[in-house]
Amino acid sequence: MLTKTLDAAIADPSMYADPGAYHELFAQLRKEDPVHWTEIEGFRPFWTVSKYNDILEIEKQGDKFINWPRLSLNSIADEERVRAGSGRGSTVSLRMLVNMDGAEHRAHRSITQSWFMPTNLRKLEAELADLAKEFVDRMEAVSGSCDFVKDVAVWYPLRVIMTILGVPREDDHRMLAWTKALLSSEDEEMAAGLRGVEARQAAIQEFFRYFGALSAKRRAEPKDDLASVIANAKVEGQAISDFETQSYYLIISTAGHDTTSSSSAGGLLALLQNPAELAKLRANPDLLPSAIEEIIRWVSPVTHFFRTATEDYVLRGKQIKAGDSLMMCYPSANRDEEIFPDPYTFKIDRTPNRHIAFGYGPHLCLGLNLARMELKALFKELLSRVDTIELAGDPAWIKATIVTGLKRLPIRYTTRKQAA
Ligand code: HEM
């Protein structure tokens, strides 16, 4: 029988910093109560949905399960603080793609959709390879050991996103600080100063000021970059509002950073903990694309998104009422034993591998091709340059309920150049 303690664990950021505990809890949920009514003190109740096929059923029906108004796990107190601060009577502080539904969502998504298509992204290939090289050069320069998270995994995807948004290098540090405040403010080590909703609101203000200035520049003088596409966007012939423009920059810069950063570090850890898989990949680099998919399934950095039912609906025998919200737990779906044989085994040549770490349906991750390219460029460079590589201490994970991942990954290595 599932208990209140289990419910409380679902909202506890520390549980997401302990992958063993997470997978134990969600294996129990998938087995005993896959669509689980969850009541936690201080939170509006919701259904925790832990199985792959149930999440697909929800995501496919964007008219019956919508993104507005509840998107992620926030306490009632935090929702009310946002409502008070928004000046718009809303518990959601932004107008981003992920908060939109139906025709409005389609129109806003189409602004950048073609930019994120593989044909357009191909022009970034050389730049990504150069960036990957630069970061592995840095590893080489610090001779033999580093914290892969702090030295590589955090900065490389950040620089990629900032490059496509046209943000200069000297601003990377502040961008990183604001992203951390927005997504990891529950972790005392990650958020300097302010915590929780105050940290998030302050970071949003900073992002908005910064991107307000950037979009003004790109309106006056458009360039061939994503920032100019967003700054000059029109929906039904009308320019989108400043608020929507800045929210758009914000979703690209935040959605594209921590997710890819966590996948790089989590992927390296998985390879180090599975030396036979690492050896297989080094012997056969053609396995890189399938290894990247397995890394993304394995890490599943986005822990959940919510949907709200627009009508009564029966899901796996449970009566969902119009207005109920449902938490779709992606990492759990990606370990669903009904879909993935040996789900707890890391196999770089897993086929098929239809993981849903990028979501599914109308909101399917817009940046998935870019994320794959980034990870491919980094692992290609890293694995071709290191001679030996191993863990040099205990890894540690971020305490955060929405995007999780490693915050420390000490490694020791020799590179081919050093060995020569
Ligand atoms: C491994 C890396 C990544 C993972 C695991 C990931 C995961 C996700 C997930 C789970 C969603 C929600 C999908 C749904 O509701 O069905 C999403 C949406 C989104 N992602 Fe990613 N993402 C990654 C990288 C990126 C990158 C690199 C970018 C852009 C630079 C990006 C931009 C977006 C955007 C804009 C959305 C909102 C799409 C919409 O609502 O229409 N993501 N991502």
Side-chain angles (χ1 to χ4, degrees), residues 59 98 105 109 161 255-256 259 263 301-302 305 307 330 357-360 363 365 367:
E59 293 239 41
V98 280
H105 170 252
R109 193 172 158 109
I161 297 297
T259 48
S263 304
V302 180
F305 271 120
R307 296 291 186 263
Y330 301 115
F358 289 121
Y360 195 83
H363 288 272
C365 176

mmCIF file with all atom_site columns, all heavy atoms in Angstrom, residues 59 98 105 109 161 255-256 259 263 301-302 305 307 330 357-360 363 365 367, ligand 1:
data_model
loop_
_atom_site.group_PDB
_atom_site.id
_atom_site.type_symbol
_atom_site.label_atom_id
_atom_site.label_alt_id
_atom_site.label_comp_id
_atom_site.label_asym_id
_atom_site.label_entity_id
_atom_site.label_seq_id
_atom_site.pdbx_PDB_ins_code
_atom_site.Cartn_x
_atom_site.Cartn_y
_atom_site.Cartn_z
_atom_site.occupancy
_atom_site.B_iso_or_equiv
_atom_site.pdbx_formal_charge
_atom_site.auth_seq_id
_atom_site.auth_comp_id
_atom_site.auth_asym_id
_atom_site.auth_atom_id
_atom_site.pdbx_PDB_model_num
ATOM   1   N  N   . GLU A 1 59  ? 0.169  12.875 -23.572 1.00 0.00 ? 59  GLU A N   1
ATOM   2   C  CA  . GLU A 1 59  ? 0.874  13.846 -24.430 1.00 0.00 ? 59  GLU A CA  1
ATOM   3   C  C   . GLU A 1 59  ? 0.279  13.930 -25.841 1.00 0.00 ? 59  GLU A C   1
ATOM   4   O  O   . GLU A 1 59  ? 0.317  14.976 -26.473 1.00 0.00 ? 59  GLU A O   1
ATOM   5   C  CB  . GLU A 1 59  ? 2.355  13.475 -24.541 1.00 0.00 ? 59  GLU A CB  1
ATOM   6   C  CG  . GLU A 1 59  ? 3.105  13.619 -23.223 1.00 0.00 ? 59  GLU A CG  1
ATOM   7   C  CD  . GLU A 1 59  ? 4.267  14.593 -23.311 1.00 0.00 ? 59  GLU A CD  1
ATOM   8   O  OE1 . GLU A 1 59  ? 4.122  15.649 -23.950 1.00 0.00 ? 59  GLU A OE1 1
ATOM   9   O  OE2 . GLU A 1 59  ? 5.307  14.290 -22.732 1.00 0.00 ? 59  GLU A OE2 1
ATOM   10  N  N   . VAL A 1 98  ? 6.158  26.495 -23.548 1.00 0.00 ? 98  VAL A N   1
ATOM   11  C  CA  . VAL A 1 98  ? 5.687  25.409 -22.686 1.00 0.00 ? 98  VAL A CA  1
ATOM   12  C  C   . VAL A 1 98  ? 4.437  25.774 -21.897 1.00 0.00 ? 98  VAL A C   1
ATOM   13  O  O   . VAL A 1 98  ? 3.786  24.898 -21.337 1.00 0.00 ? 98  VAL A O   1
ATOM   14  C  CB  . VAL A 1 98  ? 6.789  24.934 -21.703 1.00 0.00 ? 98  VAL A CB  1
ATOM   15  C  CG1 . VAL A 1 98  ? 7.767  24.002 -22.383 1.00 0.00 ? 98  VAL A CG1 1
ATOM   16  C  CG2 . VAL A 1 98  ? 7.481  26.089 -21.046 1.00 0.00 ? 98  VAL A CG2 1
ATOM   17  N  N   . HIS A 1 105 ? 0.005  28.005 -29.332 1.00 0.00 ? 105 HIS A N   1
ATOM   18  C  CA  . HIS A 1 105 ? 1.272  27.286 -29.196 1.00 0.00 ? 105 HIS A CA  1
ATOM   19  C  C   . HIS A 1 105 ? 1.865  26.989 -30.568 1.00 0.00 ? 105 HIS A C   1
ATOM   20  O  O   . HIS A 1 105 ? 3.057  27.215 -30.803 1.00 0.00 ? 105 HIS A O   1
ATOM   21  C  CB  . HIS A 1 105 ? 1.068  25.993 -28.388 1.00 0.00 ? 105 HIS A CB  1
ATOM   22  C  CG  . HIS A 1 105 ? 2.258  25.095 -28.416 1.00 0.00 ? 105 HIS A CG  1
ATOM   23  N  ND1 . HIS A 1 105 ? 2.283  23.912 -29.125 1.00 0.00 ? 105 HIS A ND1 1
ATOM   24  C  CD2 . HIS A 1 105 ? 3.482  25.226 -27.868 1.00 0.00 ? 105 HIS A CD2 1
ATOM   25  C  CE1 . HIS A 1 105 ? 3.485  23.358 -28.995 1.00 0.00 ? 105 HIS A CE1 1
ATOM   26  N  NE2 . HIS A 1 105 ? 4.219  24.121 -28.231 1.00 0.00 ? 105 HIS A NE2 1
ATOM   27  N  N   . ARG A 1 109 ? 5.411  28.275 -31.829 1.00 0.00 ? 109 ARG A N   1
ATOM   28  C  CA  . ARG A 1 109 ? 6.442  27.260 -32.083 1.00 0.00 ? 109 ARG A CA  1
ATOM   29  C  C   . ARG A 1 109 ? 6.989  27.409 -33.508 1.00 0.00 ? 109 ARG A C   1
ATOM   30  O  O   . ARG A 1 109 ? 8.178  27.238 -33.749 1.00 0.00 ? 109 ARG A O   1
ATOM   31  C  CB  . ARG A 1 109 ? 5.840  25.864 -31.862 1.00 0.00 ? 109 ARG A CB  1
ATOM   32  C  CG  . ARG A 1 109 ? 6.878  24.773 -31.796 1.00 0.00 ? 109 ARG A CG  1
ATOM   33  C  CD  . ARG A 1 109 ? 6.259  23.452 -31.391 1.00 0.00 ? 109 ARG A CD  1
ATOM   34  N  NE  . ARG A 1 109 ? 7.091  22.366 -31.817 1.00 0.00 ? 109 ARG A NE  1
ATOM   35  C  CZ  . ARG A 1 109 ? 7.834  21.573 -31.012 1.00 0.00 ? 109 ARG A CZ  1
ATOM   36  N  NH1 . ARG A 1 109 ? 7.791  21.731 -29.727 1.00 0.00 ? 109 ARG A NH1 1
ATOM   37  N  NH2 . ARG A 1 109 ? 8.587  20.621 -31.514 1.00 0.00 ? 109 ARG A NH2 1
ATOM   38  N  N   . ILE A 1 161 ? 24.484 27.543 -26.544 1.00 0.00 ? 161 ILE A N   1
ATOM   39  C  CA  . ILE A 1 161 ? 23.230 28.317 -26.556 1.00 0.00 ? 161 ILE A CA  1
ATOM   40  C  C   . ILE A 1 161 ? 23.514 29.807 -26.721 1.00 0.00 ? 161 ILE A C   1
ATOM   41  O  O   . ILE A 1 161 ? 22.845 30.509 -27.477 1.00 0.00 ? 161 ILE A O   1
ATOM   42  C  CB  . ILE A 1 161 ? 22.438 28.099 -25.235 1.00 0.00 ? 161 ILE A CB  1
ATOM   43  C  CG1 . ILE A 1 161 ? 22.039 26.651 -25.088 1.00 0.00 ? 161 ILE A CG1 1
ATOM   44  C  CG2 . ILE A 1 161 ? 21.192 28.976 -25.180 1.00 0.00 ? 161 ILE A CG2 1
ATOM   45  C  CD1 . ILE A 1 161 ? 21.119 26.172 -26.158 1.00 0.00 ? 161 ILE A CD1 1
ATOM   46  N  N   . ALA A 1 255 ? 16.009 26.021 -21.250 1.00 0.00 ? 255 ALA A N   1
ATOM   47  C  CA  . ALA A 1 255 ? 15.680 24.634 -21.651 1.00 0.00 ? 255 ALA A CA  1
ATOM   48  C  C   . ALA A 1 255 ? 16.870 23.980 -22.317 1.00 0.00 ? 255 ALA A C   1
ATOM   49  O  O   . ALA A 1 255 ? 17.058 22.775 -22.249 1.00 0.00 ? 255 ALA A O   1
ATOM   50  C  CB  . ALA A 1 255 ? 14.488 24.619 -22.602 1.00 0.00 ? 255 ALA A CB  1
ATOM   51  N  N   . GLY A 1 256 ? 17.684 24.783 -23.002 1.00 0.00 ? 256 GLY A N   1
ATOM   52  C  CA  . GLY A 1 256 ? 18.793 24.216 -23.753 1.00 0.00 ? 256 GLY A CA  1
ATOM   53  C  C   . GLY A 1 256 ? 20.060 24.050 -22.957 1.00 0.00 ? 256 GLY A C   1
ATOM   54  O  O   . GLY A 1 256 ? 21.028 23.500 -23.460 1.00 0.00 ? 256 GLY A O   1
ATOM   55  N  N   . THR A 1 259 ? 19.695 20.811 -19.287 1.00 0.00 ? 259 THR A N   1
ATOM   56  C  CA  . THR A 1 259 ? 19.344 19.499 -19.827 1.00 0.00 ? 259 THR A CA  1
ATOM   57  C  C   . THR A 1 259 ? 20.545 18.840 -20.513 1.00 0.00 ? 259 THR A C   1
ATOM   58  O  O   . THR A 1 259 ? 20.883 17.694 -20.237 1.00 0.00 ? 259 THR A O   1
ATOM   59  C  CB  . THR A 1 259 ? 18.226 19.664 -20.871 1.00 0.00 ? 259 THR A CB  1
ATOM   60  O  OG1 . THR A 1 259 ? 18.615 20.726 -21.761 1.00 0.00 ? 259 THR A OG1 1
ATOM   61  C  CG2 . THR A 1 259 ? 16.902 19.990 -20.248 1.00 0.00 ? 259 THR A CG2 1
ATOM   62  N  N   . SER A 1 263 ? 23.068 15.817 -19.294 1.00 0.00 ? 263 SER A N   1
ATOM   63  C  CA  . SER A 1 263 ? 23.227 14.621 -20.124 1.00 0.00 ? 263 SER A CA  1
ATOM   64  C  C   . SER A 1 263 ? 24.700 14.348 -20.399 1.00 0.00 ? 263 SER A C   1
ATOM   65  O  O   . SER A 1 263 ? 25.121 13.187 -20.422 1.00 0.00 ? 263 SER A O   1
ATOM   66  C  CB  . SER A 1 263 ? 22.475 14.760 -21.452 1.00 0.00 ? 263 SER A CB  1
ATOM   67  O  OG  . SER A 1 263 ? 21.126 15.045 -21.194 1.00 0.00 ? 263 SER A OG  1
ATOM   68  N  N   . PRO A 1 301 ? 17.121 14.003 -17.929 1.00 0.00 ? 301 PRO A N   1
ATOM   69  C  CA  . PRO A 1 301 ? 17.316 15.098 -16.973 1.00 0.00 ? 301 PRO A CA  1
ATOM   70  C  C   . PRO A 1 301 ? 16.036 15.848 -16.584 1.00 0.00 ? 301 PRO A C   1
ATOM   71  O  O   . PRO A 1 301 ? 15.979 16.433 -15.504 1.00 0.00 ? 301 PRO A O   1
ATOM   72  C  CB  . PRO A 1 301 ? 18.286 16.036 -17.702 1.00 0.00 ? 301 PRO A CB  1
ATOM   73  C  CG  . PRO A 1 301 ? 18.130 15.717 -19.158 1.00 0.00 ? 301 PRO A CG  1
ATOM   74  C  CD  . PRO A 1 301 ? 17.807 14.255 -19.216 1.00 0.00 ? 301 PRO A CD  1
ATOM   75  N  N   . VAL A 1 302 ? 15.032 15.848 -17.474 1.00 0.00 ? 302 VAL A N   1
ATOM   76  C  CA  . VAL A 1 302 ? 13.777 16.533 -17.116 1.00 0.00 ? 302 VAL A CA  1
ATOM   77  C  C   . VAL A 1 302 ? 12.920 15.530 -16.343 1.00 0.00 ? 302 VAL A C   1
ATOM   78  O  O   . VAL A 1 302 ? 12.514 14.504 -16.889 1.00 0.00 ? 302 VAL A O   1
ATOM   79  C  CB  . VAL A 1 302 ? 13.032 17.031 -18.379 1.00 0.00 ? 302 VAL A CB  1
ATOM   80  C  CG1 . VAL A 1 302 ? 11.736 17.734 -18.004 1.00 0.00 ? 302 VAL A CG1 1
ATOM   81  C  CG2 . VAL A 1 302 ? 13.925 17.959 -19.194 1.00 0.00 ? 302 VAL A CG2 1
ATOM   82  N  N   . PHE A 1 305 ? 6.837  17.036 -16.430 1.00 0.00 ? 305 PHE A N   1
ATOM   83  C  CA  . PHE A 1 305 ? 6.025  18.212 -16.727 1.00 0.00 ? 305 PHE A CA  1
ATOM   84  C  C   . PHE A 1 305 ? 4.605  17.852 -16.333 1.00 0.00 ? 305 PHE A C   1
ATOM   85  O  O   . PHE A 1 305 ? 4.255  16.673 -16.249 1.00 0.00 ? 305 PHE A O   1
ATOM   86  C  CB  . PHE A 1 305 ? 6.092  18.608 -18.216 1.00 0.00 ? 305 PHE A CB  1
ATOM   87  C  CG  . PHE A 1 305 ? 7.213  19.565 -18.527 1.00 0.00 ? 305 PHE A CG  1
ATOM   88  C  CD1 . PHE A 1 305 ? 8.211  19.228 -19.432 1.00 0.00 ? 305 PHE A CD1 1
ATOM   89  C  CD2 . PHE A 1 305 ? 7.272  20.807 -17.924 1.00 0.00 ? 305 PHE A CD2 1
ATOM   90  C  CE1 . PHE A 1 305 ? 9.257  20.097 -19.717 1.00 0.00 ? 305 PHE A CE1 1
ATOM   91  C  CE2 . PHE A 1 305 ? 8.307  21.692 -18.192 1.00 0.00 ? 305 PHE A CE2 1
ATOM   92  C  CZ  . PHE A 1 305 ? 9.297  21.341 -19.088 1.00 0.00 ? 305 PHE A CZ  1
ATOM   93  N  N   . ARG A 1 307 ? 0.327  18.273 -16.916 1.00 0.00 ? 307 ARG A N   1
ATOM   94  C  CA  . ARG A 1 307 ? -0.770 18.655 -17.788 1.00 0.00 ? 307 ARG A CA  1
ATOM   95  C  C   . ARG A 1 307 ? -2.019 18.781 -16.916 1.00 0.00 ? 307 ARG A C   1
ATOM   96  O  O   . ARG A 1 307 ? -2.097 18.153 -15.843 1.00 0.00 ? 307 ARG A O   1
ATOM   97  C  CB  . ARG A 1 307 ? -1.046 17.584 -18.867 1.00 0.00 ? 307 ARG A CB  1
ATOM   98  C  CG  . ARG A 1 307 ? 0.087  17.367 -19.852 1.00 0.00 ? 307 ARG A CG  1
ATOM   99  C  CD  . ARG A 1 307 ? 0.297  18.565 -20.781 1.00 0.00 ? 307 ARG A CD  1
ATOM   100 N  NE  . ARG A 1 307 ? 1.290  18.270 -21.806 1.00 0.00 ? 307 ARG A NE  1
ATOM   101 C  CZ  . ARG A 1 307 ? 2.581  18.609 -21.726 1.00 0.00 ? 307 ARG A CZ  1
ATOM   102 N  NH1 . ARG A 1 307 ? 3.041  19.263 -20.665 1.00 0.00 ? 307 ARG A NH1 1
ATOM   103 N  NH2 . ARG A 1 307 ? 3.409  18.309 -22.704 1.00 0.00 ? 307 ARG A NH2 1
ATOM   104 N  N   . TYR A 1 330 ? 9.091  11.499 -16.636 1.00 0.00 ? 330 TYR A N   1
ATOM   105 C  CA  . TYR A 1 330 ? 9.853  10.944 -17.764 1.00 0.00 ? 330 TYR A CA  1
ATOM   106 C  C   . TYR A 1 330 ? 10.921 9.916  -17.364 1.00 0.00 ? 330 TYR A C   1
ATOM   107 O  O   . TYR A 1 330 ? 11.034 8.875  -18.020 1.00 0.00 ? 330 TYR A O   1
ATOM   108 C  CB  . TYR A 1 330 ? 10.486 12.067 -18.596 1.00 0.00 ? 330 TYR A CB  1
ATOM   109 C  CG  . TYR A 1 330 ? 9.495  13.054 -19.165 1.00 0.00 ? 330 TYR A CG  1
ATOM   110 C  CD1 . TYR A 1 330 ? 9.492  14.385 -18.751 1.00 0.00 ? 330 TYR A CD1 1
ATOM   111 C  CD2 . TYR A 1 330 ? 8.565  12.666 -20.126 1.00 0.00 ? 330 TYR A CD2 1
ATOM   112 C  CE1 . TYR A 1 330 ? 8.592  15.305 -19.274 1.00 0.00 ? 330 TYR A CE1 1
ATOM   113 C  CE2 . TYR A 1 330 ? 7.659  13.576 -20.660 1.00 0.00 ? 330 TYR A CE2 1
ATOM   114 C  CZ  . TYR A 1 330 ? 7.681  14.898 -20.226 1.00 0.00 ? 330 TYR A CZ  1
ATOM   115 O  OH  . TYR A 1 330 ? 6.787  15.792 -20.747 1.00 0.00 ? 330 TYR A OH  1
ATOM   116 N  N   . ALA A 1 357 ? 12.611 10.985 -23.131 1.00 0.00 ? 357 ALA A N   1
ATOM   117 C  CA  . ALA A 1 357 ? 13.295 12.039 -22.360 1.00 0.00 ? 357 ALA A CA  1
ATOM   118 C  C   . ALA A 1 357 ? 13.045 13.412 -22.977 1.00 0.00 ? 357 ALA A C   1
ATOM   119 O  O   . ALA A 1 357 ? 13.138 14.432 -22.295 1.00 0.00 ? 357 ALA A O   1
ATOM   120 C  CB  . ALA A 1 357 ? 14.786 11.745 -22.303 1.00 0.00 ? 357 ALA A CB  1
ATOM   121 N  N   . PHE A 1 358 ? 12.736 13.457 -24.294 1.00 0.00 ? 358 PHE A N   1
ATOM   122 C  CA  . PHE A 1 358 ? 12.431 14.729 -24.958 1.00 0.00 ? 358 PHE A CA  1
ATOM   123 C  C   . PHE A 1 358 ? 10.933 15.009 -24.970 1.00 0.00 ? 358 PHE A C   1
ATOM   124 O  O   . PHE A 1 358 ? 10.481 15.904 -25.682 1.00 0.00 ? 358 PHE A O   1
ATOM   125 C  CB  . PHE A 1 358 ? 12.919 14.692 -26.408 1.00 0.00 ? 358 PHE A CB  1
ATOM   126 C  CG  . PHE A 1 358 ? 14.424 14.729 -26.583 1.00 0.00 ? 358 PHE A CG  1
ATOM   127 C  CD1 . PHE A 1 358 ? 15.091 13.709 -27.239 1.00 0.00 ? 358 PHE A CD1 1
ATOM   128 C  CD2 . PHE A 1 358 ? 15.169 15.802 -26.108 1.00 0.00 ? 358 PHE A CD2 1
ATOM   129 C  CE1 . PHE A 1 358 ? 16.473 13.750 -27.430 1.00 0.00 ? 358 PHE A CE1 1
ATOM   130 C  CE2 . PHE A 1 358 ? 16.557 15.857 -26.289 1.00 0.00 ? 358 PHE A CE2 1
ATOM   131 C  CZ  . PHE A 1 358 ? 17.205 14.822 -26.944 1.00 0.00 ? 358 PHE A CZ  1
ATOM   132 N  N   . GLY A 1 359 ? 10.160 14.224 -24.216 1.00 0.00 ? 359 GLY A N   1
ATOM   133 C  CA  . GLY A 1 359 ? 8.708  14.395 -24.252 1.00 0.00 ? 359 GLY A CA  1
ATOM   134 C  C   . GLY A 1 359 ? 8.134  13.749 -25.495 1.00 0.00 ? 359 GLY A C   1
ATOM   135 O  O   . GLY A 1 359 ? 8.765  12.881 -26.133 1.00 0.00 ? 359 GLY A O   1
ATOM   136 N  N   . TYR A 1 360 ? 6.942  14.216 -25.881 1.00 0.00 ? 360 TYR A N   1
ATOM   137 C  CA  . TYR A 1 360 ? 6.235  13.594 -27.001 1.00 0.00 ? 360 TYR A CA  1
ATOM   138 C  C   . TYR A 1 360 ? 5.109  14.534 -27.414 1.00 0.00 ? 360 TYR A C   1
ATOM   139 O  O   . TYR A 1 360 ? 4.673  15.359 -26.633 1.00 0.00 ? 360 TYR A O   1
ATOM   140 C  CB  . TYR A 1 360 ? 5.652  12.245 -26.535 1.00 0.00 ? 360 TYR A CB  1
ATOM   141 C  CG  . TYR A 1 360 ? 5.222  11.339 -27.659 1.00 0.00 ? 360 TYR A CG  1
ATOM   142 C  CD1 . TYR A 1 360 ? 6.148  10.535 -28.309 1.00 0.00 ? 360 TYR A CD1 1
ATOM   143 C  CD2 . TYR A 1 360 ? 3.897  11.299 -28.074 1.00 0.00 ? 360 TYR A CD2 1
ATOM   144 C  CE1 . TYR A 1 360 ? 5.771  9.714  -29.358 1.00 0.00 ? 360 TYR A CE1 1
ATOM   145 C  CE2 . TYR A 1 360 ? 3.506  10.477 -29.120 1.00 0.00 ? 360 TYR A CE2 1
ATOM   146 C  CZ  . TYR A 1 360 ? 4.454  9.683  -29.755 1.00 0.00 ? 360 TYR A CZ  1
ATOM   147 O  OH  . TYR A 1 360 ? 4.075  8.868  -30.785 1.00 0.00 ? 360 TYR A OH  1
ATOM   148 N  N   . HIS A 1 363 ? 4.371  19.271 -27.828 1.00 0.00 ? 363 HIS A N   1
ATOM   149 C  CA  . HIS A 1 363 ? 5.430  20.017 -27.130 1.00 0.00 ? 363 HIS A CA  1
ATOM   150 C  C   . HIS A 1 363 ? 6.790  19.322 -27.191 1.00 0.00 ? 363 HIS A C   1
ATOM   151 O  O   . HIS A 1 363 ? 7.728  19.770 -26.513 1.00 0.00 ? 363 HIS A O   1
ATOM   152 C  CB  . HIS A 1 363 ? 5.044  20.260 -25.667 1.00 0.00 ? 363 HIS A CB  1
ATOM   153 C  CG  . HIS A 1 363 ? 3.954  21.276 -25.519 1.00 0.00 ? 363 HIS A CG  1
ATOM   154 N  ND1 . HIS A 1 363 ? 4.204  22.621 -25.418 1.00 0.00 ? 363 HIS A ND1 1
ATOM   155 C  CD2 . HIS A 1 363 ? 2.616  21.130 -25.486 1.00 0.00 ? 363 HIS A CD2 1
ATOM   156 C  CE1 . HIS A 1 363 ? 3.059  23.275 -25.308 1.00 0.00 ? 363 HIS A CE1 1
ATOM   157 N  NE2 . HIS A 1 363 ? 2.069  22.379 -25.348 1.00 0.00 ? 363 HIS A NE2 1
ATOM   158 N  N   . CYS A 1 365 ? 10.365 18.232 -27.458 1.00 0.00 ? 365 CYS A N   1
ATOM   159 C  CA  . CYS A 1 365 ? 11.492 19.167 -27.337 1.00 0.00 ? 365 CYS A CA  1
ATOM   160 C  C   . CYS A 1 365 ? 11.888 19.771 -28.688 1.00 0.00 ? 365 CYS A C   1
ATOM   161 O  O   . CYS A 1 365 ? 12.191 19.056 -29.640 1.00 0.00 ? 365 CYS A O   1
ATOM   162 C  CB  . CYS A 1 365 ? 12.686 18.443 -26.730 1.00 0.00 ? 365 CYS A CB  1
ATOM   163 S  SG  . CYS A 1 365 ? 14.144 19.475 -26.656 1.00 0.00 ? 365 CYS A SG  1
ATOM   164 N  N   . GLY A 1 367 ? 14.532 21.494 -29.202 1.00 0.00 ? 367 GLY A N   1
ATOM   165 C  CA  . GLY A 1 367 ? 15.993 21.509 -29.374 1.00 0.00 ? 367 GLY A CA  1
ATOM   166 C  C   . GLY A 1 367 ? 16.613 20.127 -29.454 1.00 0.00 ? 367 GLY A C   1
ATOM   167 O  O   . GLY A 1 367 ? 17.826 19.996 -29.325 1.00 0.00 ? 367 GLY A O   1
HETATM 168 C  C1  . HEM B 2 .   ? 19.263 16.315 -23.634 1.00 0.00 ? 1   HEM B C1  1
HETATM 169 C  C2  . HEM B 2 .   ? 18.797 17.524 -23.723 1.00 0.00 ? 1   HEM B C2  1
HETATM 170 C  C3  . HEM B 2 .   ? 17.340 17.891 -23.612 1.00 0.00 ? 1   HEM B C3  1
HETATM 171 C  C4  . HEM B 2 .   ? 16.291 17.228 -23.022 1.00 0.00 ? 1   HEM B C4  1
HETATM 172 C  C5  . HEM B 2 .   ? 16.322 15.899 -22.300 1.00 0.00 ? 1   HEM B C5  1
HETATM 173 C  C6  . HEM B 2 .   ? 15.101 18.044 -23.220 1.00 0.00 ? 1   HEM B C6  1
HETATM 174 C  C7  . HEM B 2 .   ? 13.827 17.694 -22.765 1.00 0.00 ? 1   HEM B C7  1
HETATM 175 C  C8  . HEM B 2 .   ? 12.678 18.413 -23.025 1.00 0.00 ? 1   HEM B C8  1
HETATM 176 C  C9  . HEM B 2 .   ? 11.347 18.033 -22.608 1.00 0.00 ? 1   HEM B C9  1
HETATM 177 C  C10 . HEM B 2 .   ? 11.003 16.797 -21.762 1.00 0.00 ? 1   HEM B C10 1
HETATM 178 C  C11 . HEM B 2 .   ? 10.485 18.964 -23.076 1.00 0.00 ? 1   HEM B C11 1
HETATM 179 C  C12 . HEM B 2 .   ? 8.958  18.978 -22.879 1.00 0.00 ? 1   HEM B C12 1
HETATM 180 C  C13 . HEM B 2 .   ? 8.315  18.087 -23.930 1.00 0.00 ? 1   HEM B C13 1
HETATM 181 C  C14 . HEM B 2 .   ? 6.856  17.798 -23.706 1.00 0.00 ? 1   HEM B C14 1
HETATM 182 O  O1  . HEM B 2 .   ? 6.163  18.549 -23.003 1.00 0.00 ? 1   HEM B O1  1
HETATM 183 O  O2  . HEM B 2 .   ? 6.378  16.809 -24.285 1.00 0.00 ? 1   HEM B O2  1
HETATM 184 C  C15 . HEM B 2 .   ? 11.263 19.953 -23.793 1.00 0.00 ? 1   HEM B C15 1
HETATM 185 C  C16 . HEM B 2 .   ? 10.719 21.062 -24.401 1.00 0.00 ? 1   HEM B C16 1
HETATM 186 C  C17 . HEM B 2 .   ? 11.496 22.033 -24.983 1.00 0.00 ? 1   HEM B C17 1
HETATM 187 N  N1  . HEM B 2 .   ? 12.868 22.028 -25.172 1.00 0.00 ? 1   HEM B N1  1
HETATM 188 FE FE1 . HEM B 2 .   ? 14.150 20.556 -24.647 1.00 0.00 ? 1   HEM B FE1 1
HETATM 189 N  N2  . HEM B 2 .   ? 15.446 19.176 -23.913 1.00 0.00 ? 1   HEM B N2  1
HETATM 190 C  C18 . HEM B 2 .   ? 16.798 19.129 -24.180 1.00 0.00 ? 1   HEM B C18 1
HETATM 191 C  C19 . HEM B 2 .   ? 17.546 20.073 -24.883 1.00 0.00 ? 1   HEM B C19 1
HETATM 192 C  C20 . HEM B 2 .   ? 17.034 21.220 -25.437 1.00 0.00 ? 1   HEM B C20 1
HETATM 193 C  C21 . HEM B 2 .   ? 17.798 22.191 -26.196 1.00 0.00 ? 1   HEM B C21 1
HETATM 194 C  C22 . HEM B 2 .   ? 19.288 22.071 -26.529 1.00 0.00 ? 1   HEM B C22 1
HETATM 195 C  C23 . HEM B 2 .   ? 16.942 23.215 -26.521 1.00 0.00 ? 1   HEM B C23 1
HETATM 196 C  C24 . HEM B 2 .   ? 17.157 24.484 -27.296 1.00 0.00 ? 1   HEM B C24 1
HETATM 197 C  C25 . HEM B 2 .   ? 18.223 25.090 -27.483 1.00 0.00 ? 1   HEM B C25 1
HETATM 198 C  C26 . HEM B 2 .   ? 15.628 22.852 -25.996 1.00 0.00 ? 1   HEM B C26 1
HETATM 199 C  C27 . HEM B 2 .   ? 14.487 23.602 -26.144 1.00 0.00 ? 1   HEM B C27 1
HETATM 200 C  C28 . HEM B 2 .   ? 13.228 23.202 -25.786 1.00 0.00 ? 1   HEM B C28 1
HETATM 201 C  C29 . HEM B 2 .   ? 12.028 24.008 -26.013 1.00 0.00 ? 1   HEM B C29 1
HETATM 202 C  C30 . HEM B 2 .   ? 11.994 25.376 -26.665 1.00 0.00 ? 1   HEM B C30 1
HETATM 203 C  C31 . HEM B 2 .   ? 10.941 23.275 -25.506 1.00 0.00 ? 1   HEM B C31 1
HETATM 204 C  C32 . HEM B 2 .   ? 9.474  23.670 -25.501 1.00 0.00 ? 1   HEM B C32 1
HETATM 205 C  C33 . HEM B 2 .   ? 8.771  23.082 -26.695 1.00 0.00 ? 1   HEM B C33 1
HETATM 206 C  C34 . HEM B 2 .   ? 7.274  23.344 -26.729 1.00 0.00 ? 1   HEM B C34 1
HETATM 207 O  O3  . HEM B 2 .   ? 6.668  23.575 -25.666 1.00 0.00 ? 1   HEM B O3  1
HETATM 208 O  O4  . HEM B 2 .   ? 6.723  23.354 -27.837 1.00 0.00 ? 1   HEM B O4  1
HETATM 209 N  N3  . HEM B 2 .   ? 15.730 21.646 -25.353 1.00 0.00 ? 1   HEM B N3  1
HETATM 210 N  N4  . HEM B 2 .   ? 12.603 19.580 -23.768 1.00 0.00 ? 1   HEM B N4  1
#
